[in-house]
Amino acid sequence: MQDMAWVLTLFYQLFLGSIESRFIVFMVRMSWAFTVVQYQSLALLLENMSTHRFKFSVRNKIFCTISAIFTLSFLLISIVHFDCLRTADKYPFEFTLERISILFAMLPLILTSLFITTWKLYQKSLPRVLHKQLLILIAGIIIPFWLSDFLQVFPFAFSSAWRNTQYTLVGLSNILITGAVLYCSFRMLGLRFLNLTKEVQSKVNIHFMENFKVILDQFSHVSSLRELGHITQVFFKEAFGIQFNRVQLYIRSSNPARAAQQMSESNETISTRVELFMGTHQKSMCQFIKKSRVLVYDELAFSDFHEGTDKTSAALTFLDSIQADIFLPVYENNTLISYIVIDRHARFDELYNNTEYDEMLIFSQYLGNIIHLMQNKNLEEIIRQQKDLKEELYQKHQEIHQYKESIRSFMRAKNHKKIGIIFYKSRRFTFANQTAKELIPINPNLQDGHPITKALKKLALQVDEYKSPQTAYTQDAEGTKLVLSGVPSLEQNNVIICVYYPEVSDVIKKQMDILKDPSEWDYLLYLETTKPGKLINQLIPGSGETLLNFKIKLLKTALSKKATLLNMPEKDLVPTVEILHHISLRESLHVIDLAGPEKNFEAAVKLFGINAIFQMDKDSKPPLLERLDSIGTIFIKNIHYLSLETQEQLAEYLRYGFFKIFKSDHKIPSSVRIICSTNQHLTTLVQDEKFSRTLFEELKHTTLEMPSLMTLPKEELSTLAEGFSEQAVADQSLKNILSLSPRDKMRLAHQRPASLLELKTKIQQILIQKSKQNEIYDEAQFDPAYEVSDPELVEAARLGKKALKDQKIMTLLWNKFKNQNKIAAFLGVNRSSVNRRCKEYNLTQESSV
């Protein structure tokens, strides 16, 4: 009515001059009447909202009577004096009535109710939802209205000059007040204004599911009930901004006797009060909690303030007893299995809304399923079984891959269908067909020292001596195996030798009889035909029952990704680890060399990281198990030096595939391969409680023990020495001179080295000494890669200075050594050459990070 009166007045002023009409005067009188009604309504609204079960007081009745008198007076005047055409023609007492009515409405009427409401707000005796509503109503609507009317009336009151210049103020104030009313209306409707909704309203959080994916991932990694409390705190922190220490998860015991015992132990804990309430309330209260889904103190307080029931009062009393803002029950099959309690005033300046309740309920549904699963099933065992299945599946996949590679080696070319024939008579070899010349690229009559010539002569002599078929194996120029099959001829002193590439049966039949487990015949195939098998044969080039079975065990270990404990001479550890790492197709190898007992949990911090609370270095790197996930191998030398706490945490990682941040419950999945070694008898350490029994149980099934050279059969040691001898000499024409004699082998058998590395070194020294005795040291070409154990560096070692021209190899060397001096020493070149190539290929510390 006020705005309509102003609009009509302005319309007449702008377009009709100063002409007035009885209708305008009538509308002005009506606006005065409704101004009193407006202030009386606002006063009653304030007191009604802020008073529990509001009733009319004497003051309210008096003020309502006075307001009714003013309103009726203006209405009566507007009807009786309807013929009034101008403001100046009004009754004289009407101006006095206007002054008195506006003073009454703006001062005693509204200010009294405003003071009473403000005092209640100050005392904080109202529910928080109502508190928010009243603040919005007072600050956004009542005070702007009051100030607008105050500026229109005071201090110039009814001055004609002020009345002619206040149109601008009226227009601006109406625009601002209209905007304020719209804004406050939306805000108050969202805060359950007039109890139109049952919950505080809010917009849907469209990013909730993106954040919830992280929680679901954490749920999939849980292995104990204790971890759920941390996940719950993280969820409420990230989703609702509630501090960790203000959120608690309580899991009810599935054993009634244990629950009763816990209640009898303490009468002050929250869980005890909750159990007491759950055990004593009426059945209708159970239905109320299930229907409400979540008990929110602010919502219940607001509902109880205006429409209180026995159930809301009981729920409020319960929340007061546990000092909680929210009680979130977690059900599974209509049974309360746990609950989440959020402390009072955990989020002091912000109310919870319906969207957040839905998010909490979604979380509680998943939480209930996890708790039910863990209480009724051994989840830790399930997780372990899942990890074991993954490892077994990985090993089967690797075995299938090796099998395919082995079959491809037989089917790669048609060469295996060709058979060369050689006659041996009167100590001379004669090629009977073209295939024999293709398979044997040398002249065995002239090159006596060549390995193929040696194999042919040995076979021919055996056939001639025993007059029975014999079979031997050698290699062609490319290192591919050849089968030499000799049979005696009908002619005297004549031997026929067939040369061909081996079939599957030839490879298996060769060593099948010396296998401990005949079912492992397929690994015989892999050792002879696949790249991993050839690497292992290069590491251990001997044959015989002991060495063969160890090589098979080494290959099986390499094809697996289970943690491995190495029990072998210290000098053989690194070559073996490099072979296992290379066959596993992993990129990074990190070595933790423990020279003594672990101090200050240094190894634990490296492996697992540490809780941010205890972290001193702000720029510290992520833990190794996180950095090397899926791409790395960690070799822990002398694992018995780890502290017991670190051993237990490492055992948990090996068992479940997840590691905990040190001094924290936070778990992170990882698939880093762990290889470790020890020179101690772990069984004794376990009995003396100096080594973790849990870690020992994890490692004892995957222990790889190298046979001692001290007890190795003499024949196998001889084949091992011959294998290293052939690897050492690169020039095939000199292998007849630079080879081990029976006397050399006898000396090695009597003075046996402790490790493979020592044996290789001794053999190399013997060959170097022979080359000097025969005055061919300068001509002899020893293999540069003989002393290199890392498969990735073998090619670089053989290329020597030529490797400088290959950017890929130089990048590999830089990533391995991270030092130009070491690269120069490895390749046998000047540092300046390496420096020039590093600049050309942009190999710097920054590029390798």
Side-chain angles (χ1 to χ4, degrees):
M1 295 301 292
Q2 289 178 3
D3 290 344
M4 191 179 298
W6 278 111
V7 168
L8 288 174
T9 302
L10 286 172
F11 181 81
Y12 271 83
Q13 290 282 344
L14 291 172
F15 301 107
L16 300 177
S18 58
I19 300 175
E20 295 188 18
S21 70
R22 59 174 60 89
F23 183 68
I24 293 178
V25 175
F26 174 80
M27 291 301 297
V28 170
R29 286 169 171 166
M30 293 297 291
S31 69
W32 279 106
F34 279 100
T35 297
V36 179
V37 173
Q38 173 183 298
Y39 278 99
Q40 181 64 63
S41 301
L42 288 174
L44 289 175
L45 177 62
L46 280 175
E47 294 194 43
N48 193 355
M49 289 177 64
S50 61
T51 304
H52 182 52
R53 296 174 182 174
F54 172 75
K55 294 181 180 180
F56 270 86
S57 63
V58 176
R59 177 181 52 79
N60 294 131
K61 294 176 180 179
I62 294 173
F63 281 169
C64 285
T65 302
I66 297 173
S67 298
I69 292 172
F70 283 124
T71 303
L72 292 174
S73 298
F74 284 116
L75 291 175
L76 185 60
I77 292 172
S78 63
I79 296 172
V80 173
H81 200 202
F82 182 75
D83 294 333
C84 180
L85 297 176
R86 296 180 304 167
T87 304
D89 295 337
K90 288 183 179 180
Y91 295 129
F93 70 88
E94 190 174 345
F95 295 101
T96 303
L97 187 63
E98 290 175 357
R99 293 187 184 94
I100 296 173
S101 65
I102 195 62
L103 289 173
F104 165 75
M106 294 186 64
L107 297 177
L109 177 58
I110 190 64
L111 290 183
T112 302
S113 298
L114 195 59
F115 174 79
I116 294 171
T117 304
T118 306
W119 178 251
K120 291 181 179 179
L121 292 175
Y122 175 76
Q123 289 183 321
K124 297 182 179 179
S125 59
L126 302 176
R128 285 213 302 165
V129 176
L130 185 57
H131 190 98
K132 290 273 187 181
Q133 288 183 6
L134 289 170
L135 285 178
I136 294 171
L137 180 63
I138 293 172
I141 297 179
I142 294 178
I143 291 179
F145 264 122
W146 190 88
L147 287 176
S148 173
D149 288 345
F150 181 84
L151 291 175
Q152 294 178 44
V153 176
F154 303 100
F156 305 101
F158 303 98
S159 160
S160 60
W162 173 250
R163 192 180 301 118
N164 293 329
T165 57
Q166 64 181 334
Y167 297 125
T168 302
L169 177 63
V170 171
L172 289 174
S173 64
N174 274 319
I175 292 173
L176 295 174
I177 290 172
T178 303
V181 168
L182 284 172
Y183 172 75
C184 295
S185 298
F186 282 116
R187 287 288 307 276
M188 292 182 68
L189 286 173
L191 293 173
R192 300 183 60 183
F193 182 62
L194 301 181
N195 224 6
L196 296 176
T197 59
K198 296 298 182 183
E199 297 168 342
V200 175
Q201 303 296 303
S202 176
K203 295 181 180 179
V204 176
N205 181 10
I206 59 175
H207 303 292
F208 169 71
M209 289 310 299
E210 296 179 6
N211 300 329
F212 195 63
K213 289 178 183 177
V214 179
I215 300 298
L216 290 178
D217 183 60
Q218 293 179 357
F219 273 148
S220 65
H221 301 154
V222 169
S223 59
S224 66
L225 290 172
R226 183 180 176 186
E227 297 171 35
L228 294 176
H230 175 73
I231 294 176
T232 301
Q233 291 175 334
V234 170
F235 171 73
F236 277 83
K237 169 65 176 175
E238 297 295 331
F240 313 119
I242 301 173
Q243 296 300 320
F244 292 117
N245 60 341
R246 310 303 295 272
V247 182
Q248 295 296 330
L249 170 66
Y250 297 90
I251 300 175
R252 303 182 78 191
S253 176
S254 56
N255 187 347
R258 180 171 176 81
Q261 181 183 358
Q262 291 176 350
M263 286 185 61
S264 62
E265 289 176 355
S266 173
N267 293 322
E268 299 299 329
T269 61
I270 290 178
S271 58
T272 304
R273 294 171 186 169
V274 172
E275 294 299 332
L276 183 63
F277 175 75
M278 292 298 171
T280 56
H281 65 65
Q282 298 178 353
K283 186 176 180 180
S284 58
M285 191 64 194
C286 282
Q287 300 300 325
F288 174 78
I289 295 175
K290 288 182 180 179
K291 185 177 180 181
S292 300
R293 301 181 302 170
V294 53
L295 299 182
V296 184
Y297 188 89
D298 293 331
E299 303 281 8
L300 290 171
F302 182 76
S303 298
D304 188 66
F305 189 82
H306 289 297
E307 300 173 355
T309 63
D310 294 338
K311 297 183 184 64
T312 56
S313 298
L316 273 176
T317 304
F318 165 62
L319 292 177
D320 273 326
S321 68
I322 61 175
Q323 287 295 298
D325 261 351
I326 289 181
F327 176 81
L328 178 61
V330 179
Y331 291 98
E332 179 64 29
N333 296 328
N334 293 322
T335 302
L336 182 66
I337 60 174
S338 70
Y339 47 89
I340 298 170
V341 176
I342 300 178
D343 294 346
R344 282 294 299 275
H345 307 304
R347 209 166 65 172
F348 188 77
D349 295 326
E350 191 175 353
L351 296 172
Y352 302 95
N353 55 65
N354 63 325
T355 301
E356 293 176 328
Y357 304 152
D358 292 339
E359 293 171 1
M360 292 178 190
L361 291 170
I362 292 173
F363 175 80
S364 68
Q365 290 292 329
Y366 282 95
L367 181 63
N369 292 332
I370 295 295
I371 293 174
H372 177 72
L373 179 65
M374 296 180 70
Q375 286 184 336
N376 293 276
K377 297 180 181 179
N378 191 341
L379 190 60
E380 293 184 357
E381 188 62 29
I382 293 175
I383 294 175
R384 179 170 184 174
Q385 290 175 3
Q386 184 183 20
K387 177 179 178 291
D388 292 341
L389 285 173
K390 287 182 179 179
E391 290 178 347
E392 186 176 351
L393 181 63
Y394 173 83
Q395 185 168 0
K396 292 298 182 185
H397 173 77
Q398 290 291 90
E399 289 177 1
I400 292 172
H401 179 74
Q402 299 302 311
Y403 186 76
K404 289 180 178 179
E405 184 180 348
S406 180
I407 296 300
R408 278 198 298 267
S409 69
F410 292 108
M411 302 178 64
R412 188 171 290 116
K414 296 181 179 180
N415 291 336
H416 66 285
K417 295 182 179 180
K418 298 179 180 179
I419 300 177
I421 300 176
I422 302 174
F423 296 113
Y424 178 75
K425 184 177 182 180
S426 302
R427 297 184 179 180
R428 292 190 62 83
F429 294 96
T430 305
F431 292 107
N433 60 358
Q434 181 65 28
T435 304
K437 291 184 178 181
E438 293 175 357
L439 296 176
I440 307 295
I442 64 167
N443 188 341
N445 298 313
L446 298 178
Q447 295 176 277
D448 292 338
H450 199 280
I452 296 180
T453 303
K454 289 182 178 181
L456 287 170
K457 281 187 176 180
K458 184 178 180 180
L459 176 69
L461 292 174
Q462 288 177 347
V463 173
D464 186 50
E465 180 179 358
Y466 301 118
K467 305 299 180 182
S468 63
Q470 301 290 329
T471 302
Y473 295 86
T474 187
Q475 293 180 348
D476 62 9
E478 298 178 354
T480 305
K481 278 193 176 295
L482 286 173
V483 179
L484 306 177
S485 179
V487 293
S489 175
L490 297 177
E491 298 181 13
Q492 190 175 6
N493 298 326
N494 192 9
V495 176
I496 302 174
I497 300 175
C498 296
V499 184
Y500 56 91
Y501 286 103
E503 299 284 349
V504 176
S505 58
D506 296 317
V507 175
I508 296 175
K509 183 172 61 177
K510 176 187 174 183
Q511 302 181 91
M512 186 70 176
D513 295 336
I514 59 177
L515 272 181
K516 287 184 178 179
D517 185 359
S519 64
E520 294 179 341
W521 62 267
D522 49 343
Y523 283 94
L524 279 177
L525 208 62
Y526 307 152
L527 277 174
E528 300 294 337
T529 56
T530 64
K531 291 180 180 179
K534 292 177 181 179
L535 287 175
I536 292 175
N537 280 326
Q538 186 175 356
L539 177 67
I540 308 172
S543 59
E545 182 179 355
T546 305
L547 292 178
L548 175 64
N549 286 284
F550 173 71
K551 287 194 287 186
I552 288 178
K553 191 172 183 181
L554 179 59
L555 179 59
K556 291 177 72 174
T557 303
L559 297 180
S560 170
K561 61 178 181 179
K562 293 183 178 180
T564 305
L565 176 64
L566 301 181
N567 188 359
M568 57 185 62
E570 184 177 357
K571 293 182 179 179
D572 293 334
L573 287 173
V574 173
T576 306
V577 170
E578 288 174 343
I579 286 287
L580 293 174
H581 170 71
H582 184 76
I583 295 177
S584 298
L585 303 176
R586 297 188 175 247
E587 301 173 10
S588 302
L589 173 62
H590 188 93
V591 179
I592 299 178
D593 191 351
L594 299 173
E598 181 185 9
K599 297 179 181 179
N600 301 322
F601 302 106
E602 294 177 353
V605 174
K606 282 184 181 179
L607 287 169
F608 312 113
I610 193 168
N611 194 323
I613 298 175
F614 305 99
Q615 194 168 354
M616 304 298 293
D617 186 5
K618 295 183 179 179
D619 299 327
S620 61
K621 296 180 180 178
L624 284 174
L625 289 176
E626 184 177 357
R627 291 204 327 255
L628 302 180
D629 182 25
S630 302
I631 63 168
T633 303
I634 297 177
F635 172 47
I636 306 174
K637 190 175 180 181
N638 298 322
I639 192 172
H640 55 276
Y641 283 139
L642 288 178
S643 65
L644 287 176
E645 187 173 351
T646 306
Q647 291 176 18
E648 289 291 340
Q649 198 151 337
L650 180 61
E652 185 177 8
Y653 165 69
L654 297 181
R655 176 172 292 185
Y656 302 115
F658 308 103
F659 71 93
K660 286 182 181 178
I661 299 294
F662 194 60
K663 301 295 183 182
S664 169
D665 289 332
H666 180 50
K667 286 192 173 183
I668 301 175
S670 178
S671 59
V672 177
R673 179 165 192 178
I674 301 294
I675 302 175
C676 48
S677 70
T678 182
N679 54 13
Q680 302 292 316
H681 195 261
L682 293 186
T683 306
T684 304
L685 293 180
V686 171
Q687 292 174 352
D688 296 340
E689 297 184 352
K690 294 180 179 179
F691 194 83
S692 167
R693 183 176 296 275
T694 309
L695 182 57
F696 176 73
E697 292 295 328
E698 292 298 321
L699 294 176
K700 72 177 184 180
H701 301 294
T702 53
T703 299
L704 185 64
E705 185 171 358
M706 179 179 286
S708 174
L709 296 184
M710 298 297 181
T711 58
L712 194 67
K714 185 178 178 180
E715 295 78 9
E716 296 191 32
L717 183 64
S718 177
T719 61
L720 191 61
E722 287 180 359
F724 284 134
S725 174
E726 291 185 6
Q727 289 179 5
V729 182
D731 191 346
Q732 298 286 346
S733 62
L734 298 176
K735 286 192 175 181
N736 186 35
I737 300 174
L738 300 179
S739 61
L740 297 178
S741 64
R743 184 179 178 183
D744 296 328
K745 295 178 183 178
M746 184 69 68
R747 190 186 308 161
L748 288 173
H750 282 87
Q751 299 176 359
R752 299 193 178 202
S755 65
L756 291 176
L757 183 62
E758 290 181 12
L759 179 61
K760 288 179 69 175
T761 304
K762 278 191 175 184
I763 291 172
Q764 187 180 36
Q765 292 172 353
I766 292 173
L767 296 179
I768 291 174
Q769 186 178 1
K770 285 192 174 189
S771 67
K772 290 180 179 180
Q773 290 174 353
N774 290 279
E775 297 182 354
I776 59 171
Y777 179 73
D778 295 333
E779 300 175 9
Q781 296 182 5
F782 292 99
D783 191 350
Y786 181 72
E787 297 180 353
V788 178
S789 59
D790 190 339
E792 294 181 346
L793 298 180
V794 169
E795 183 180 0
R798 287 174 178 162
L799 286 175
K801 64 180 181 180
K802 295 180 181 179
L804 294 172
K805 299 179 181 180
D806 193 315
Q807 183 176 356
K808 183 178 179 181
I809 293 180
M810 286 299 296
T811 303
L812 171 66
L813 292 174
W814 178 256
N815 291 332
K816 285 284 185 181
F817 296 111
K818 299 286 193 307
N819 185 287
Q820 294 182 6
N821 291 326
K822 292 181 179 180
I823 296 175
F826 180 79
L827 297 177
V829 297
N830 295 327
R831 183 186 179 279
S832 58
S833 301
V834 176
N835 182 45
R836 185 168 61 253
R837 292 296 181 180
C838 286
K839 289 182 178 179
E840 180 182 346
Y841 301 142
N842 193 28
L843 299 177
T844 61
Q845 289 290 347
E846 290 78 10
S847 65
S848 64
V849 173

